[in-house]
Amino acid sequence: MPKTHDCLIVGAGPAGLVAATYLARFHRDVVVVDAGNSRAQWIPTSHNCPGFPLGIGGESLLQRLRAQAAQYGVEPVQGKVESLRRDGEGVFLASDGDGRVWRARCVVLATGVVDMMPVVEGGQPVLERAVESGVLRLCAVCDGYEASDECIGVLAPPQEALSHGLFLRGFSRKVDAISAGPGETDADTRRAADAAGVPLLPVPARLECDTDACTVTFDDGSTRRYDTLYPVLGSEAQSQLARELGADVDEDGALRTDAHQQTSVDGLYAIGDVVSALDQIAVAVGHAAIAATAIHNRLPRRLRM
Ligand SMILES: Cc1cc2nc3c(=O)[nH]c(=O)nc-3n(C[C@H](O)[C@H](O)[C@H](O)COP(=O)(O)OP(=O)(O)OC[C@H]3O[C@@H](n4cnc5c(N)ncnc54)[C@H](O)[C@@H]3O)c2cc1C
């Protein structure tokens, strides 16, 4: 039988790595399993991450957080947890596709979300370069400031395109809402968008991006060029493992938790983007601190000899 850890953390993005550091500093035995696709890897430079006045790249931030956890002996194991269940003693059993099994008294899911990306001419390499150069942005709360006074497009289902367009209108007076597909809009949002000068444009025929701008071409052949384009196409919360154990989720599949980050399943905690909350690094690390401390306090006390 594999060793029983105090805690298994699934995911080593900002949330999982900070939880690991906290638990290791409480002298808890923690194992972290990570599939290696943190959303933070996409961040060219974050300017709202606390403590980095000149900004920090997502990969640099992850390196620092990994180094911090490693100082207390935690090195994430590469792998994808495919199943999570409880044994007869109420201990969690997690396994990956290669037959590896981890046993733990508590589990923290820090598995994040996966963004739905737009179809860009040239495919994945073009898309990645556009994100890297900041012409395609995925999070207006994160970097709307960097797009201030630029010509901004929001590509989303009509209702979301208008409401995100209104949000971004606080950063620039040149904002277009672009429909990503058919859909209804409510009259209040439409009125507010009209008053703010945010037009709702039709579904584009083509989207091209380089490192300076994104250009949208419509069916009638007309084009619009944007310094910054925000696709708001939704994301998929990586909550399957918890849902299989019966955990409550919101209408988007994100996990609901209590004030200690515990899901509706006893001993199963969730932190970061996978939780029904604002998807931000500052929130993820706050969740991590709360969950790690709650887990430490619920586990049997260990006296230092
Ligand atoms: C382009 C972009 C720019 C952003 N800019 C900012 C910004 O400036 N400021 C800010 O606060 N936020 C920003 N964000 C959001 C930020 O990246 C996320 O809020 C943050 O990464 C969430 O951390 P997390 O640990 O919850 O999830 P993630 O960082 O996504 O990490 C989740 C980890 O879990 C792993 N995982 C998932 N399922 C499994 C499984 N079954 N088994 C093992 N591992 C698994 C994944 O592979 C991944 O490594 C940005 C996001 C994007 C995409």
Side-chain angles (χ1 to χ4, degrees):
M1 186 188 295
K3 159 184 189 186
T4 305
H5 300 280
D6 287 326
C7 185
L8 162 68
I9 299 175
V10 186
L17 289 168
V18 170
T21 296
Y22 268 69
L23 282 162
R25 286 176 51 80
F26 290 141
H27 296 292
R28 290 298 178 180
D29 167 20
V30 53
V31 61
V32 181
V33 180
D34 182 48
N37 291 313
S38 168
R39 224 179 147 218
Q41 289 168 351
W42 284 86
I43 307 175
T45 307
S46 170
H47 293 279
N48 71 352
C49 188
F52 295 97
L54 303 178
I56 182 161
E59 192 44 63
S60 303
L61 177 68
L62 287 169
Q63 271 168 23
R64 284 167 184 251
L65 294 172
R66 279 194 291 264
Q68 198 170 4
Q71 246 185 309
Y72 303 101
V74 185
E75 306 266 4
V77 177
Q78 268 294 321
K80 180 164 189 199
V81 174
E82 303 279 4
S83 96
L84 183 63
R85 61 187 175 84
R86 294 191 107 134
D87 69 9
E89 297 159 33
V91 172
F92 290 96
L93 278 175
S95 56
D96 70 359
D98 296 332
R100 289 183 294 181
V101 177
W102 296 273
R103 232 171 158 260
R105 294 183 182 86
C106 290
V107 172
V108 176
L109 283 188
T111 43
V113 301
V114 173
D115 293 291
M116 306 295 168
M117 294 294 200
V119 177
V120 178
E121 297 294 319
Q124 188 68 11
V126 174
L127 181 88
E128 286 178 15
R129 266 199 308 278
V131 174
E132 173 63 34
S133 55
V135 300
L136 203 74
R137 297 184 184 272
L138 292 157
C139 168
V141 171
C142 305
D143 48 28
Y145 185 89
E146 276 62 49
S148 294
D149 300 322
E150 291 188 342
C151 186
I152 301 174
V154 180
L155 178 68
Q159 178 65 26
E160 285 82 4
L162 285 178
S163 52
H164 279 79
L166 279 166
F167 179 79
L168 281 158
R169 190 61 182 75
F171 297 91
S172 174
R173 63 185 175 79
K174 296 165 283 181
V175 180
D176 285 351
I178 309 161
S179 305
E184 298 297 313
T185 57
D186 76 50
D188 285 351
T189 312
R190 194 77 188 231
R191 254 194 305 277
D194 284 348
V198 178
L200 180 62
L201 305 182
V203 179
R206 188 180 167 89
L207 170 61
E208 290 159 290
C209 294
D210 56 29
T211 52
D212 287 327
C214 286
T215 304
V216 171
T217 305
F218 297 97
D219 279 342
D220 65 2
S222 64
T223 60
R224 295 241 188 173
R225 185 179 182 280
Y226 299 103
D227 303 310
T228 298
L229 184 77
Y230 281 95
V232 185
L233 303 174
S235 59
E236 195 183 325
Q238 301 300 292
S239 57
Q240 308 88 313
L241 296 171
R243 279 189 275 129
E244 279 161 24
L245 283 172
D248 285 350
V249 292
D250 69 11
E251 56 288 353
D252 297 321
L255 289 162
R256 295 190 202 276
T257 61
D258 66 13
H260 299 289
Q261 299 305 131
Q262 188 171 223
T263 67
S264 57
V265 176
D266 187 42
L268 179 64
Y269 290 73
I271 59 177
D273 285 3
V274 74
V275 173
S276 180
L278 186 66
D279 291 351
Q280 289 285 285
I281 294 163
V283 176
V285 303
H287 285 170
I290 292 168
T293 306
I295 288 168
H296 175 59
N297 285 335
R298 73 176 275 156
L299 287 169
R301 193 167 284 127
R302 236 182 248 147
L303 303 179
R304 206 82 177 137
M305 297 299 172

